[in-house]
Amino acid sequence: MERQRILVVEDEETVAVYLGDILRRLGFDICASVRSGTEAVALTVPLAPDLVLMDVHLAGELDGIQTAEKIRRLRSLPVVFLTADTQEETMRRARGITPDAYLLKPFDERTLRITLDLALARHQLEERLAERERWLSAILNSVDDGVVVTDALGRVQFLNSRAESIAGR
């Protein structure tokens, strides 16, 4: 099985080195370890990591949450926040971008491993579901008949282009 590549975004050098050691020991590859959100955004496309492990509080113009938002606009990637911050405002902002996990410092290796494995598995599942949805949508839109899909309460969930035409939408 191919080793998963992780982009570490941590502005405290000692923590970044510690994380790198743990991640390598757990069988992950570190494609880069950067100190700023700007560097992380710039490297996301060329390095193509499988996951981003992001400190919430970063020095510089972008904090971890802003950086994760920018990264997600570039690529669909799982993001795991790593922080000691449990303030409600920070948690609310982080929830707003739907991170794959929020890991509190201090953490142990086992917890980190489980968190990363679950985030990667969840992301893989979401990608497969999105692909199936695109595939199904393409099929339904290529049918000459009008197709209307409703939920159990009769609310319309999907209309193909022919159904929209018939309905005058």
Side-chain angles (χ1 to χ4, degrees):
M1 191 166 120
E2 195 174 309
R3 292 167 55 110
Q4 301 291 315
R5 296 167 33 86
I6 300 190
L7 172 59
V8 176
V9 188
E10 170 62 62
D11 61 349
E12 293 182 43
E13 188 172 344
T14 55
V15 175
V17 169
Y18 174 69
L19 278 171
D21 290 343
I22 291 174
L23 292 168
R24 284 183 200 86
R25 196 167 43 249
L26 292 174
F28 295 100
D29 282 336
I30 311 301
C31 60
S33 181
V34 298
R35 299 179 72 154
S36 76
T38 304
E39 288 175 288
V41 171
L43 292 174
T44 295
V45 172
L47 293 180
D50 297 305
L51 180 140
V52 179
L53 185 57
M54 175 93 61
D55 188 8
V56 169
H57 296 291
L58 297 172
E61 66 183 69
L62 299 174
D63 69 12
I65 297 168
Q66 294 165 319
T67 301
E69 285 177 309
K70 288 181 178 291
I71 286 173
R72 287 241 173 106
R73 283 189 221 125
L74 297 172
R75 287 200 56 223
S76 173
L77 284 174
V79 173
V80 173
F81 284 128
L82 184 63
T83 187
D85 187 348
T86 58
Q87 292 181 10
E88 184 55 36
E89 173 61 16
T90 304
M91 301 285 282
R92 184 191 60 71
R93 286 185 58 231
R95 276 192 309 267
I97 68 146
T98 319
D100 294 273
Y102 195 94
L103 189 59
L104 292 175
K105 295 175 186 176
F107 57 87
D108 59 48
E109 280 187 39
R110 184 173 180 269
T111 303
L112 179 62
R113 176 62 189 221
I114 290 167
T115 300
L116 297 178
D117 285 348
L118 287 174
L120 287 161
R122 176 181 171 211
H123 181 71
Q124 255 183 352
L125 177 62
E126 287 172 351
E127 289 293 306
R128 284 197 310 264
L129 287 172
E131 179 60 30
R132 295 279 169 113
E133 199 170 295
R134 286 188 295 273
W135 180 75
L136 182 59
S137 181
I139 290 170
L140 291 175
N141 278 314
S142 67
V143 174
D144 284 335
D145 295 326
V147 178
V148 179
V149 178
T150 62
D151 64 14
L153 299 174
R155 295 179 296 218
V156 174
Q157 299 297 305
F158 176 85
L159 291 162
N160 71 353
S161 54
R162 179 70 178 132
E164 286 179 346
S165 174
I166 293 168
R169 290 187 72 193

